[in-house]
Amino acid sequence: MEEAEQALIRVIGSKGLLAVLQAVKPASNKQASMVTITKDGMNIRWEDESKSLQSSIFLNSEVFAEFQVPWVRKTFGLHFHTFTDTLTVFASTSTSDLTIRYPGPNEELTFELVEAISEQQLCTYARINTLDLDLSPEISEYWQEPSSYFLAPGAMLREAIEDLEWAACSGAQTQGSVTVHLKRSPPSITLSASDAAELSIKLPVGDLAGFMCTEAEVYHKYKYKLMRAAFSNLPSAKEAATQMSTKVTVDSSGIMKVMHMVPLFGGGASQGNPLGPSGPNLSQGFSRRGSVHFFLLPQDVVIEYDGEDDV
């Protein structure tokens, strides 16, 4: 295969890239994801086996030290855990640049790291077999306006969801639910659970970067395990936590969209909050952050992807 037909992606500080990818933690080690590479960047999409939760990670081309893509668009599947495990090996053994290429001779994704040791060059190489994969249509296609939203520090929301676990779940069971209650006047946001016990957490509105409630009240329930997946796997390092912003949007039918902007430290992440009242602000460092999205269906709502839906 001609080298010109390959995408070449060079990563500086693969630990930062790994931190963004670890915001998504599929329940099964065999869970597959769909990767799309375009000239604009790389998108990794995954869906929960219940099909009630979908996530995607978008990495802008400017995140990378080098991003050469000779074609308009290519899509392939791979096992998500295999991808992150491979990056973990490289991130733990060296701080040198990591080069990723696609496709290899057998349509695989390849990794190469070259480092100098005692005046000699050591090359570490790995490859991941890709898959043919079909995912369900995106939940976002069923989005209905008007929508309400709030913007908050990601660490605040992660802590709130983790605090609700004992009230939402009994023992090892994670089948409880979390109620999200937005009120327009006076502005308030309350997260509550009452399955194993009762607990309500009112978010401090003064600490929010933005808030809009399109109805007098917005009230929806979500499965706790899906809320935990969407909020509890964010980077916990102090530097990342203080600069991580999250926007939560709820449409008129209760579909929730969660967008985390996670800084890629070690790769030149800029300072400041990249989220304004209307969404990402490119002038404040969006290109140096990974964008992690989750779409959650409300409890007891199932989309029939053959064209009929309950939303």
Side-chain angles (χ1 to χ4, degrees), residues 119-149:
E119 300 183 355
Q120 300 291 323
Q121 280 196 335
L122 175 65
C123 179
T124 306
Y125 178 86
R127 65 184 180 89
I128 299 177
N129 292 331
T130 57
L131 311 167
D132 292 326
L133 181 66
D134 291 320
L135 295 181
S136 304
E138 296 186 19
I139 293 177
S140 60
E141 295 179 8
Y142 298 85
W143 190 264
Q144 299 177 25
E145 294 291 350
S147 59
S148 303
Y149 73 85

Short mmCIF file of all heavy atoms in Angstrom, two decimals, residues 119-149:
data_model
loop_
_atom_site.label_atom_id
_atom_site.label_comp_id
_atom_site.label_asym_id
_atom_site.label_seq_id
_atom_site.Cartn_x
_atom_site.Cartn_y
_atom_site.Cartn_z
N GLU A 119 22.46 6.08 22.78
CA GLU A 119 22.89 6.35 21.41
C GLU A 119 22.35 5.34 20.40
O GLU A 119 22.80 5.28 19.26
CB GLU A 119 24.42 6.40 21.32
CG GLU A 119 25.04 7.49 22.19
CD GLU A 119 26.54 7.57 22.04
OE1 GLU A 119 27.11 6.70 21.34
OE2 GLU A 119 27.14 8.49 22.61
N GLN A 120 21.39 4.54 20.82
CA GLN A 120 20.73 3.61 19.92
C GLN A 120 19.25 3.99 19.83
O GLN A 120 18.69 4.59 20.74
CB GLN A 120 20.87 2.17 20.43
CG GLN A 120 22.30 1.68 20.56
CD GLN A 120 22.97 1.52 19.21
OE1 GLN A 120 22.34 1.10 18.23
NE2 GLN A 120 24.26 1.84 19.15
N GLN A 121 18.63 3.63 18.72
CA GLN A 121 17.21 3.89 18.56
C GLN A 121 16.41 2.63 18.85
O GLN A 121 16.69 1.57 18.29
CB GLN A 121 16.91 4.39 17.14
CG GLN A 121 17.21 5.86 16.94
CD GLN A 121 16.55 6.40 15.68
OE1 GLN A 121 16.27 5.65 14.75
NE2 GLN A 121 16.30 7.70 15.66
N LEU A 122 15.44 2.77 19.74
CA LEU A 122 14.55 1.67 20.07
C LEU A 122 13.18 1.97 19.48
O LEU A 122 12.60 3.03 19.75
CB LEU A 122 14.44 1.49 21.58
CG LEU A 122 13.44 0.44 22.08
CD1 LEU A 122 13.87 -0.95 21.64
CD2 LEU A 122 13.29 0.51 23.60
N CYS A 123 12.67 1.06 18.68
CA CYS A 123 11.36 1.24 18.05
C CYS A 123 10.37 0.24 18.65
O CYS A 123 10.61 -0.96 18.64
CB CYS A 123 11.47 1.04 16.54
SG CYS A 123 9.89 1.21 15.68
N THR A 124 9.27 0.77 19.18
CA THR A 124 8.20 -0.07 19.71
C THR A 124 7.01 0.03 18.76
O THR A 124 6.60 1.13 18.38
CB THR A 124 7.78 0.40 21.11
OG1 THR A 124 8.93 0.44 21.96
CG2 THR A 124 6.76 -0.55 21.71
N TYR A 125 6.46 -1.11 18.39
CA TYR A 125 5.44 -1.16 17.34
C TYR A 125 4.26 -2.00 17.82
O TYR A 125 4.43 -2.99 18.53
CB TYR A 125 6.04 -1.77 16.07
CG TYR A 125 5.09 -1.93 14.92
CD1 TYR A 125 4.85 -0.89 14.03
CD2 TYR A 125 4.42 -3.14 14.71
CE1 TYR A 125 3.99 -1.04 12.96
CE2 TYR A 125 3.55 -3.30 13.65
CZ TYR A 125 3.34 -2.24 12.77
OH TYR A 125 2.47 -2.40 11.72
N ALA A 126 3.07 -1.58 17.46
CA ALA A 126 1.87 -2.36 17.77
C ALA A 126 0.85 -2.15 16.66
O ALA A 126 0.89 -1.15 15.93
CB ALA A 126 1.28 -1.92 19.12
N ARG A 127 -0.06 -3.10 16.53
CA ARG A 127 -1.13 -2.94 15.56
C ARG A 127 -2.42 -3.51 16.14
O ARG A 127 -2.40 -4.45 16.93
CB ARG A 127 -0.79 -3.62 14.23
CG ARG A 127 -0.65 -5.13 14.29
CD ARG A 127 -0.21 -5.69 12.94
NE ARG A 127 -0.06 -7.14 12.98
CZ ARG A 127 -1.04 -8.00 12.72
NH1 ARG A 127 -2.24 -7.55 12.42
NH2 ARG A 127 -0.83 -9.30 12.76
N ILE A 128 -3.54 -2.92 15.74
CA ILE A 128 -4.86 -3.35 16.19
C ILE A 128 -5.69 -3.70 14.96
O ILE A 128 -5.82 -2.89 14.03
CB ILE A 128 -5.58 -2.25 16.98
CG1 ILE A 128 -4.79 -1.86 18.23
CG2 ILE A 128 -6.98 -2.70 17.38
CD1 ILE A 128 -5.41 -0.72 19.00
N ASN A 129 -6.23 -4.89 14.95
CA ASN A 129 -7.11 -5.27 13.85
C ASN A 129 -8.41 -4.47 13.92
O ASN A 129 -8.98 -4.27 15.00
CB ASN A 129 -7.43 -6.77 13.91
CG ASN A 129 -6.21 -7.63 13.61
OD1 ASN A 129 -5.31 -7.21 12.88
ND2 ASN A 129 -6.16 -8.82 14.19
N THR A 130 -8.88 -4.01 12.79
CA THR A 130 -10.13 -3.26 12.75
C THR A 130 -11.30 -4.19 12.42
O THR A 130 -11.11 -5.35 12.05
CB THR A 130 -10.05 -2.13 11.71
OG1 THR A 130 -9.72 -2.69 10.43
CG2 THR A 130 -8.98 -1.13 12.11
N LEU A 131 -12.51 -3.68 12.57
CA LEU A 131 -13.72 -4.49 12.43
C LEU A 131 -14.69 -3.83 11.46
O LEU A 131 -14.67 -2.61 11.26
CB LEU A 131 -14.42 -4.62 13.79
CG LEU A 131 -13.59 -5.02 15.01
CD1 LEU A 131 -14.40 -4.79 16.28
CD2 LEU A 131 -13.17 -6.48 14.91
N ASP A 132 -15.55 -4.65 10.89
CA ASP A 132 -16.73 -4.13 10.19
C ASP A 132 -17.82 -3.96 11.24
O ASP A 132 -18.16 -4.91 11.95
CB ASP A 132 -17.20 -5.09 9.10
CG ASP A 132 -16.20 -5.17 7.95
OD1 ASP A 132 -15.57 -4.15 7.65
OD2 ASP A 132 -16.06 -6.26 7.36
N LEU A 133 -18.35 -2.77 11.36
CA LEU A 133 -19.25 -2.48 12.48
C LEU A 133 -20.40 -1.60 12.03
O LEU A 133 -20.21 -0.62 11.30
CB LEU A 133 -18.46 -1.76 13.59
CG LEU A 133 -19.22 -1.39 14.86
CD1 LEU A 133 -19.66 -2.64 15.60
CD2 LEU A 133 -18.34 -0.52 15.76
N ASP A 134 -21.60 -1.96 12.47
CA ASP A 134 -22.79 -1.14 12.24
C ASP A 134 -23.38 -0.77 13.59
O ASP A 134 -23.72 -1.65 14.39
CB ASP A 134 -23.84 -1.91 11.42
CG ASP A 134 -23.40 -2.12 9.98
OD1 ASP A 134 -22.81 -1.19 9.41
OD2 ASP A 134 -23.65 -3.22 9.44
N LEU A 135 -23.49 0.52 13.85
CA LEU A 135 -24.12 0.99 15.07
C LEU A 135 -25.53 1.49 14.77
O LEU A 135 -25.88 1.75 13.62
CB LEU A 135 -23.30 2.13 15.70
CG LEU A 135 -21.90 1.78 16.20
CD1 LEU A 135 -21.24 3.01 16.80
CD2 LEU A 135 -21.95 0.66 17.24
N SER A 136 -26.32 1.63 15.81
CA SER A 136 -27.67 2.16 15.66
C SER A 136 -27.60 3.62 15.22
O SER A 136 -26.58 4.29 15.40
CB SER A 136 -28.42 2.07 16.99
OG SER A 136 -28.45 0.75 17.47
N PRO A 137 -28.68 4.14 14.64
CA PRO A 137 -28.70 5.58 14.33
C PRO A 137 -28.43 6.40 15.58
O PRO A 137 -28.70 5.95 16.71
CB PRO A 137 -30.13 5.80 13.81
CG PRO A 137 -30.55 4.47 13.30
CD PRO A 137 -29.91 3.46 14.21
N GLU A 138 -27.92 7.58 15.41
CA GLU A 138 -27.58 8.41 16.55
C GLU A 138 -28.84 8.92 17.25
O GLU A 138 -29.81 9.34 16.61
CB GLU A 138 -26.72 9.59 16.10
CG GLU A 138 -25.37 9.16 15.53
CD GLU A 138 -24.47 10.34 15.23
OE1 GLU A 138 -24.72 11.43 15.76
OE2 GLU A 138 -23.52 10.15 14.46
N ILE A 139 -28.80 8.88 18.58
CA ILE A 139 -29.93 9.38 19.37
C ILE A 139 -30.19 10.85 19.05
O ILE A 139 -31.34 11.31 19.10
CB ILE A 139 -29.65 9.19 20.88
CG1 ILE A 139 -29.62 7.69 21.23
CG2 ILE A 139 -30.69 9.90 21.74
CD1 ILE A 139 -29.27 7.39 22.68
N SER A 140 -29.15 11.58 18.69
CA SER A 140 -29.31 13.01 18.39
C SER A 140 -30.28 13.25 17.24
O SER A 140 -30.85 14.34 17.12
CB SER A 140 -27.95 13.63 18.06
OG SER A 140 -27.36 12.99 16.93
N GLU A 141 -30.50 12.24 16.39
CA GLU A 141 -31.44 12.40 15.29
C GLU A 141 -32.88 12.54 15.79
O GLU A 141 -33.76 12.99 15.05
CB GLU A 141 -31.34 11.20 14.34
CG GLU A 141 -29.98 11.10 13.63
CD GLU A 141 -29.90 9.89 12.72
OE1 GLU A 141 -30.95 9.23 12.51
OE2 GLU A 141 -28.80 9.61 12.21
N TYR A 142 -33.13 12.16 17.04
CA TYR A 142 -34.47 12.23 17.62
C TYR A 142 -34.64 13.45 18.52
O TYR A 142 -35.63 13.58 19.23
CB TYR A 142 -34.76 10.95 18.41
CG TYR A 142 -34.74 9.71 17.55
CD1 TYR A 142 -33.54 9.05 17.27
CD2 TYR A 142 -35.91 9.21 16.98
CE1 TYR A 142 -33.51 7.92 16.46
CE2 TYR A 142 -35.89 8.08 16.18
CZ TYR A 142 -34.69 7.45 15.92
OH TYR A 142 -34.66 6.34 15.11
N TRP A 143 -33.67 14.35 18.48
CA TRP A 143 -33.68 15.55 19.33
C TRP A 143 -34.85 16.45 18.97
O TRP A 143 -35.15 16.66 17.79
CB TRP A 143 -32.37 16.29 19.15
CG TRP A 143 -32.14 17.40 20.13
CD1 TRP A 143 -32.41 18.73 19.95
CD2 TRP A 143 -31.59 17.28 21.44
NE1 TRP A 143 -32.06 19.45 21.06
CE2 TRP A 143 -31.55 18.58 22.00
CE3 TRP A 143 -31.12 16.21 22.20
CZ2 TRP A 143 -31.06 18.84 23.27
CZ3 TRP A 143 -30.64 16.46 23.46
CH2 TRP A 143 -30.61 17.75 23.99
N GLN A 144 -35.51 17.00 20.01
CA GLN A 144 -36.66 17.88 19.80
C GLN A 144 -36.48 19.16 20.60
O GLN A 144 -36.26 19.13 21.80
CB GLN A 144 -37.96 17.18 20.25
CG GLN A 144 -38.28 15.90 19.49
CD GLN A 144 -39.53 15.22 20.01
OE1 GLN A 144 -40.41 15.86 20.58
NE2 GLN A 144 -39.62 13.91 19.82
N GLU A 145 -36.56 20.27 19.91
CA GLU A 145 -36.52 21.57 20.58
C GLU A 145 -37.94 21.93 21.07
O GLU A 145 -38.92 21.40 20.56
CB GLU A 145 -36.00 22.64 19.62
CG GLU A 145 -34.55 22.44 19.20
CD GLU A 145 -33.56 22.68 20.34
OE1 GLU A 145 -33.97 23.18 21.41
OE2 GLU A 145 -32.38 22.34 20.16
N PRO A 146 -38.06 22.83 22.06
CA PRO A 146 -36.99 23.60 22.70
C PRO A 146 -36.23 22.79 23.74
O PRO A 146 -36.73 21.77 24.22
CB PRO A 146 -37.75 24.76 23.35
CG PRO A 146 -39.08 24.16 23.69
CD PRO A 146 -39.40 23.21 22.56
N SER A 147 -35.04 23.25 24.06
CA SER A 147 -34.22 22.54 25.03
C SER A 147 -33.77 23.49 26.13
O SER A 147 -33.68 24.70 25.93
CB SER A 147 -33.00 21.92 24.34
OG SER A 147 -32.22 22.92 23.70
N SER A 148 -33.48 22.92 27.29
CA SER A 148 -32.97 23.67 28.44
C SER A 148 -31.54 23.21 28.70
O SER A 148 -31.17 22.09 28.35
CB SER A 148 -33.83 23.43 29.68
OG SER A 148 -35.18 23.77 29.43
N TYR A 149 -30.74 24.06 29.33
CA TYR A 149 -29.35 23.67 29.57
C TYR A 149 -28.78 24.37 30.79
O TYR A 149 -29.32 25.37 31.28
CB TYR A 149 -28.48 23.99 28.35
CG TYR A 149 -28.19 25.46 28.14
CD1 TYR A 149 -27.13 26.08 28.81
CD2 TYR A 149 -28.97 26.23 27.29
CE1 TYR A 149 -26.87 27.42 28.64
CE2 TYR A 149 -28.71 27.57 27.11
CZ TYR A 149 -27.66 28.17 27.78
OH TYR A 149 -27.40 29.51 27.62
#
